[in-house]
Amino acid sequence: AKKHGRNRHFWFEPAMESELRFRSELETGIRRGLHHDEFVPYYEKQIDLATGELVGFEMLARWHSPTLGTVNPDLFIPIAEEIGVIAQLSEGLIRKALIDARAWAPRLTLSVNISPVQLRDPWFAQKILKILVEANFPPSRFEIEVTESCLHENIGLVRSLITSLKNQGIRVSLDDFGTGYSSLSQLRSLPFDRIKIDRSFVTSLPGNKESATIVQSIAALGEGLGLPITVEGVENEAVLRELEQFGKFKVQGYLYGHPEPGDRTAAELGQLNLL
Ligand code: C2E
Ligand code: CA
Ligand code: CA
Ligand code: CA
């Protein structure tokens, strides 16, 4: 539509027009944000119910946009994927997160979300290892979370990537399990180390028979396959109490706090003697 210039006004509804403008402003903003280093890692606690202890953090991307304020990843990750900057964005965030995580107690792990787009790069595993080596961070403390929406495209490549990562001691989780992106066939064909139950099944838990059945079934599946389970989206004590009847999972969610930037995470860890 661009080459038609102002003629656009004749064939787009005003709402569509402003949506397109917002979208193109986001694209420009994301590129500029990369240039100006506006993307920052936040961290969400992960607790092991078997011990009650903090075991690590999931890194969640945030964009400190000068015009939009703090922006959540659901808005900018899909666009970063489309405009071809997701790898750059993700690698920059991982480098920052490794600097933060290096100061944490050695038993604490760092999990990061990886876009399916990044798994199309045959050099992905080498890139990650190089970043870990440069940051002097042990691969055994590093975990990757993938939601495989592009798996069917090249399952052979993804399998070999996951295998190389695992051979270096990096663990790989299947994220958002139960939502259309992650299916049973992927569990069978790829060597995952862990299943993460999506929060959509969890937030509705107390008193919801369907959700309880689904969570219990995934727990049984994990047990049968020998895969440990993380449950995300634990917002309150009622959910936690129900979960505790189903098994000893790793859990995360607002019950334990909202995702926090590196300095606040470090301050909290300092108080817990985990720095
Ligand atoms: P996710 O991996 O499923 O991450 C969990 C999301 O749930 C996070 O949203 C987190 O802030 C939110 N959350 C955590 N606890 C609770 C809770 O108790 N209740 C509710 N309602 N929500 C909770 P966030 O940070 O907005 O991230 C959204 C998604 O963006 C993530 O979903 C992940 O798929 C993606 N993402 C985040 N960072 C990155 C990244 O660096 N790279 C890529 N490719 N994707 C990322
Ligand atoms: Ca995740
Ligand atoms: Ca997700
Ligand atoms: Ca999820």
Side-chain angles (χ1 to χ4, degrees), residues 58 113 145 147 175-177 179 196-200 232-233:
E58 175 176 2
N113 294 282
E145 302 185 3
T147 57
D175 203 359
D176 290 349
F177 191 77
T179 67
K196 293 194 74 174
I197 303 183
D198 190 64
R199 71 162 189 264
S200 55
E232 65 173 31

Side-chain angles (χ1 to χ4, degrees), residues 33-270:
L34 275 170
H35 193 69
H36 291 130
D37 205 21
E38 293 165 4
F39 294 92
V40 291
Y42 275 45
Y43 303 98
E44 175 167 314
K45 295 190 195 75
Q46 299 178 315
I47 281 85
D48 187 346
L49 288 183
T51 59
E53 282 186 347
L54 175 71
V55 287
F57 293 89
E58 175 176 2
M59 189 264 276
L60 295 159
R62 293 289 182 271
W63 175 22
H64 288 159
S65 154
T67 52
L68 300 168
T70 299
V71 183
N72 277 16
D74 287 334
L75 186 62
F76 62 82
I77 295 284
I79 300 177
E81 290 173 343
E82 273 178 56
I83 65 177
V85 299
I86 186 66
Q88 185 194 347
L89 175 54
S90 171
E91 287 164 26
L93 284 167
I94 292 173
R95 284 195 185 88
K96 288 185 192 176
L98 290 173
I99 293 172
D100 288 334
R102 216 165 41 188
W104 305 342
R107 64 176 175 79
L108 297 174
T109 57
L110 172 70
S111 298
V112 304
N113 294 282
I114 294 297
S115 157
V117 173
Q118 293 171 272
L119 296 180
R120 290 184 201 146
D121 174 4
W123 298 102
F124 174 73
Q126 276 91 335
K127 280 186 182 171
I128 291 294
L129 284 167
K130 185 160 178 278
I131 292 172
L132 290 174
V133 169
E134 283 167 359
N136 193 21
F137 194 85
S140 58
R141 289 178 60 195
F142 191 71
E143 297 184 2
I144 279 176
E145 302 185 3
V146 292
T147 57
E148 263 318 53
S149 43
C150 75
L151 252 188
H152 43 276
E153 286 178 27
N154 196 343
I155 191 145
L157 172 62
V158 176
R159 191 187 296 117
S160 75
L161 282 179
I162 293 183
T163 305
S164 343
L165 292 166
K166 285 177 55 118
N167 287 342
Q168 303 290 331
I170 296 171
R171 271 162 302 190
V172 185
S173 307
L174 182 56
D175 203 359
D176 290 349
F177 191 77
T179 67
Y181 295 119
S182 306
S183 72
L184 294 170
S185 64
Q186 286 157 12
L187 261 191
R188 194 180 52 183
S189 49
L190 291 169
F192 290 108
D193 296 296
R194 172 175 291 276
I195 299 171
K196 293 194 74 174
I197 303 183
D198 190 64
R199 71 162 189 264
S200 55
F201 303 110
V202 180
T203 42
S204 55
L205 252 191
N208 186 309
K209 181 102 180 4
E210 287 75 23
S211 298
T213 304
I214 290 168
V215 171
Q216 275 178 292
S217 306
I218 301 176
L221 184 67
E223 181 131 23
L225 294 172
L227 293 175
I229 299 225
T230 297
V231 180
E232 65 173 31
V234 179
E235 291 183 350
N236 53 55
E237 294 283 351
V239 169
L240 181 64
R241 274 195 298 272
E242 183 137 353
L243 274 178
E244 280 174 326
Q245 300 172 1
F246 304 154
K248 297 280 187 217
F249 310 117
K250 262 205 225 175
V251 292
Q252 49 184 106
Y254 295 165
L255 174 62
Y256 305 98
H258 285 250
E260 303 259 29
D263 52 352
R264 294 183 60 163
T265 300
E268 253 186 88
L269 287 175

